[in-house]
């Protein structure tokens, strides 16, 4: 019996959704385990961060004051992020790539070391783990150095890089959940709006960055999570690693399919067409400045289409991360996007002959900022109740799925924050206000359906 | 009652679904997506129901008939939503079959369709367990426990976990029965599912009486076992039919 299509459809989506889910789960666990350590100290001395510059929330303020203060905070934060993004675009435009690279290395080192270190220390404190300071320092140092190496140089296993991306997202998200409540919610909504504008509007900084990067045929200078799809176990069928499945409805009412294949290898042939392969990228660049003000700033790039697919002729190299600016060693391959039926039929025969040539397929890329803000939303929901956590988790995952589907339809840069954050916020408030009295009232009377 | 007890209650409610997930669903990404979307549909239905009923809450917990109306309306709404789910699934099946034709792979097997139905049902079941049982389990991880007056023999967490286990079973397998019934046009199957769901919901009404859970919960499990047996018989019949078709 031949294998059915059910084995392989939807792999890329799951490849992105699993690290996002893992990040959210770990942030929720961290929030739960670290929140009851000192319930009173958090309200006594709130740290002043970039998100808190204007207004420090006080539980005794009136609702109107809190709302106004939160709006001001969010506005200031978004303006700061916009300024930093524009500075980044300028630096990239004038080819300060070395500076950018070293700066990103430094900021990753700093975030992993100090913020990760303080979370590590509070975990030790909370669970009373018997460990001495020298061991602790050594472990932290190793962790940080390996993190920086795996993220910014080639030759490291891709799993390690993915793991460090997720842990970076966890660390930053845990720090963001220390913000006061009203500020967090308004900030999330403001960032979703900013993302929408910065990616889609004509003068938006992220759109400019993406266009610059694609015109120079380089990777974006930022932290991006790559989900490399694994080669399917079923070697007998060359079509088994097909990409996303998108359904369009033709005018006759029947359904027409468009499959985006992202692992075609063509070396020759009259069918060679240089057509773009579209992947999704969203970028986040984190910066942390020490001192009295802990500033967390980020910039976000849209989900982007890459105009060139790269592959390596070595079968093992699909496991290794690609270096950001080192392109000379890899040859470029003409990528074929197969939109219609007959091309797919012809693809089959060619692939059959050339199955030995190994393909490294490009999966979907998601920027680290998305990880962080999804986890912040879920972490803040965790501070209320578990029911809101599940509702927000489902909302965010479905928003992410919608965005990925939209991406395969639109084939251009797309912001990943707006849909998910909107759905997440709506579901949070609906669950908190409507669903909870309903469900708790019934469940405590042991009546369920 | 400590982390161990909390994890124990969670596993009582969700253990079988976890093993079903690991055995069948985790290997096929499409089934994971089906599970997530059916969980989302159940959540949305719960939100809509609570929106409709919000004005009447909190209900007076001494009379039983408001709860009966609540449960009846909720189950009717969810069964209607199941029909809608079926229609969406039919469309999806057409898309998948057309896709399979284009990549010259075989169309969906009957076992594939049943697996999709199982994933959908499991999504419903997991949503029920999560929202009715797990979300209330947070105090169970602490040092104390909680008893309800009406069922004072065992802690509330254990009772809700056991009820959730029964409902997970009912939801999971009734989706398989329902999809099969709609596909074949079998009236018995089509009516079986809503009536079992309604009966199960009404059984929980028995919990309203003092000490009623001693009767109510075994009856609930009877419903669950009935569902599993019916589903098993139906699947066996389908598979042997298709095997006969292949052989002949």
């Amino acid at each position: 019996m031949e294998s059915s299509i059910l084995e392989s459809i939807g792999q890329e989506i799951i490849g992105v959704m699993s690290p996002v889910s893992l990040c959210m789960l770990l942030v929720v666990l961290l929030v739960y385990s670290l929140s009851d350590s000192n319930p009173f100290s958090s309200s006594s001395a709130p740290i002043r961060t970039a998100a808190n510059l204007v207004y420090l929330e006080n539980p005794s303020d009136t609702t109107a004051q809190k709302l106004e203060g939160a709006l001001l905070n969010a506005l200031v934060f978004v303006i700061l992020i916009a300024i930093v993004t524009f500075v980044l675009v300028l630096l990239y435009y004038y080819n300060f790539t070395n500076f950018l690279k070293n700066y990103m290395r430094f900021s990753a080192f700093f975030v992993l070391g100090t913020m990760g270190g303080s979370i590590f220390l509070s975990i030790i404190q909370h669970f009373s783990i018997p460990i001495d300071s020298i061991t602790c320092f050594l472990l932290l140092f190793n962790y940080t150095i390996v993190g920086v190496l795996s993220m910014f140089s080639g030759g490291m296993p891709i799993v390690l890089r993915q793991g460090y991306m997720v842990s970076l997202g966890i660390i930053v998200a845990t720090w963001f959940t220390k913000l006061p409540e009203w500020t967090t919610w308004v900030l999330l909504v403001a960032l979703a709006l900013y993302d929408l504008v910065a990616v889609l509007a004509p003068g938006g900084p992220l759109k400019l960055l993406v266009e610059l990067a694609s015109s120079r045929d380089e990777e974006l200078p930022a932290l991006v999570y790559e989900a490399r799809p694994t080669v399917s176990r079923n070697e007998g069928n060359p079509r088994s690693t097909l990409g996303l499945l998108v359904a369009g409805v033709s005018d006759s009412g029947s359904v027409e399919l468009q499959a985006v294949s992202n692992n075609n290898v063509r070396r020759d042939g009259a069918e060679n067409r240089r057509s773009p392969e579209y992947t999704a990228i969203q970028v986040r660049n984190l910066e942390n400045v020490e001192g009295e003000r802990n500033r967390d700033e980020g910039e976000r790039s849209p989900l982007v289409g890459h105009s060139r697919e790269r592959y390596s002729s070595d079968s093992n190299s699909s496991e290794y991360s690609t270096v950001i600016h080192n392109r000379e060693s890899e040859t470029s391959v003409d990528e074929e996007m197969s939109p219609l039926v007959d091309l797919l039929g012809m693809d089959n025969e060619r692939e059959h002959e050339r199955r030995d040539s190994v393909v490294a397929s490009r999966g979907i890329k998601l920027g680290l900022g998305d990880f962080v803000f999804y986890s912040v939303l879920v972490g803040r929901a965790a501070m209320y109740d578990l029911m809101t956590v599940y509702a927000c988790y489902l909302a965010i995952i479905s928003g992410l799925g919608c965005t990925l589907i939209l991406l395969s339809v639109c084939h251009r840069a797309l912001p990943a924050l707006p849909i998910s954050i909107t759905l997440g916020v709506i579901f949070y408030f609906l669950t908190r206000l409507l669903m909870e009295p309903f469900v708790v009232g019934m469940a405590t009377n042991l009546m369920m359906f | 009652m400590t982390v161990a007890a909390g994890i124990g209650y969670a596993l009582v409610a969700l253990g079988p679904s976890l093993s079903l997930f690991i055995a069948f669903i985790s290997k096929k990404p499409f089934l994971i997506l089906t599970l997530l979307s059916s969980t989302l549909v159940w959540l949305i239905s719960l939100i809509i129901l609570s929106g409709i009923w919000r004005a009447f809450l909190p209900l007076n917990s001494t009379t039983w008939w408001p709860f009966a109306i609540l449960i009846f309306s909720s189950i009717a709404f969810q069964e209607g939503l199941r029909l809608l789910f079926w229609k969406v699934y039919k469309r999806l099946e057409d898309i998948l079959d057309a896709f399979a034709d284009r990549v010259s792979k075989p169309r969906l097997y009957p076992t594939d369709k049943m697996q999709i139905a199982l994933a959908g049902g499991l999504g419903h079941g997991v949503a029920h367990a999560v929202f009715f049982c797990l979300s209330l389990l947070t105090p169970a991880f602490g040092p104390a426990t909680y008893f309800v007056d009406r069922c004072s023999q065992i802690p509330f967490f254990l009772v809700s976990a056991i009820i959730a286990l029964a409902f997970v079973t009912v939801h999971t397998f009734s989706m398989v029965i329902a999809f099969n019934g709609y596909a074949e046009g079998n009236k018995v199957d089509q009516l079986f599912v809503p009536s079992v769901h309604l009966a199960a919901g009404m059984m929980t009404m028995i919990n309203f009486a003092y000490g009623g859970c001693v009767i109510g919960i075994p009856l609930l499990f009877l419903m669950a076992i009935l569902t599993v047996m019916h589903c098993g018989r139906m699947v066996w019949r389908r598979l042997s039919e298709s095997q006969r078709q292949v052989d002949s």
Side-chain angles (χ1 to χ4, degrees), chain A residues 158-319:
Chain A
I158 189 75
V159 180
L160 200 60
R161 184 169 193 214
Q162 290 174 339
Y164 269 104
M165 289 283 178
V166 171
S167 69
L168 199 63
I170 292 172
I171 290 171
V172 178
T174 313
W175 270 82
F176 262 101
T177 54
K178 295 190 196 234
L179 289 176
E181 185 167 5
W182 283 77
T183 309
T184 313
W185 291 111
V186 178
L187 191 69
L188 281 170
V189 173
L191 278 169
L193 287 173
Y194 165 75
D195 202 22
L196 195 65
V197 166
V199 172
L200 296 177
L206 298 175
K207 190 166 184 161
L208 292 175
L209 195 66
V210 161
E211 280 166 11
L212 272 178
S214 59
S215 67
R216 294 184 198 173
D217 255 346
E218 282 176 355
E219 295 250 358
L220 282 166
L223 291 168
V224 162
Y225 179 93
E226 281 184 56
R228 293 274 174 86
T230 56
V231 179
S232 163
R233 305 167 204 99
N234 185 9
E235 299 289 11
N237 198 336
R239 274 275 142 229
S240 55
T241 49
L242 221 92
L244 285 174
L245 166 73
V246 172
V249 182
S250 67
D251 42 12
S252 66
S254 66
V255 186
E256 173 200 319
L257 279 187
Q258 178 186 33
V260 179
S261 137
N262 58 4
N263 64 347
N264 286 340
V265 177
R266 296 268 169 281
R267 293 228 182 94
D268 60 336
E271 298 296 319
N272 249 347
R273 276 204 332 250
R274 184 178 274 281
S275 35
E277 213 278 348
Y278 297 99
T279 58
I281 291 186
Q282 175 143 359
V283 159
R284 175 139 175 87
N285 183 17
L286 293 178
E287 168 199 20
N288 221 344
V289 175
E290 197 178 34
E292 290 314 305
R293 347 175 266 139
N294 276 341
R295 268 190 316 140
D296 272 343
E297 294 168 354
E299 55 103 5
R300 204 151 299 100
S301 282
L303 297 176
V304 134
H306 256 242
S307 58
R308 196 156 67 109
E309 179 66 352
R310 292 166 186 93
Y311 89 111
S312 55
S313 49
D314 176 21
S315 62
N316 289 331
S317 59
S318 62
E319 301 168 1

Side-chain angles (χ1 to χ4, degrees), chain A residues 334-403:
Chain A
D334 287 342
E335 180 61 28
E336 180 146 345
M337 181 173 84
S338 39
L340 298 173
V341 187
D342 28 303
L343 285 174
L344 282 175
M346 279 193 263
D347 288 350
N348 256 335
E349 298 141 26
R350 305 244 181 151
E351 288 257 338
H352 240 294
E353 299 155 13
R354 219 173 274 104
R355 248 190 320 127
D356 301 349
S357 63
V358 185
V359 176
S361 42
R362 268 284 173 83
I364 299 181
K365 290 184 184 175
L366 192 64
L368 216 51
D370 296 325
F371 280 80
V372 169
F373 288 108
Y374 292 162
S375 311
V376 168
L377 201 151
V378 174
R380 178 50 67 174
M383 291 188 187
Y384 182 70
D385 195 14
L386 266 185
M387 209 180 291
T388 46
V389 170
Y390 297 125
C392 289
Y393 169 75
L394 286 172
I396 289 179
I397 290 288
S398 56
L400 186 63
C402 285
T403 312

Side-chain angles (χ1 to χ4, degrees), chain A residues 3-9 11 233, chain B residues 27-30 105:
Chain A
S3 71
S4 84
I5 48 173
L6 215 56
E7 308 268 343
S8 54
I9 289 188
Q11 250 173 8
R233 305 167 204 99
Chain B
K27 298 190 174 65
K28 304 192 179 177
F30 187 74
K105 273 208 177 198

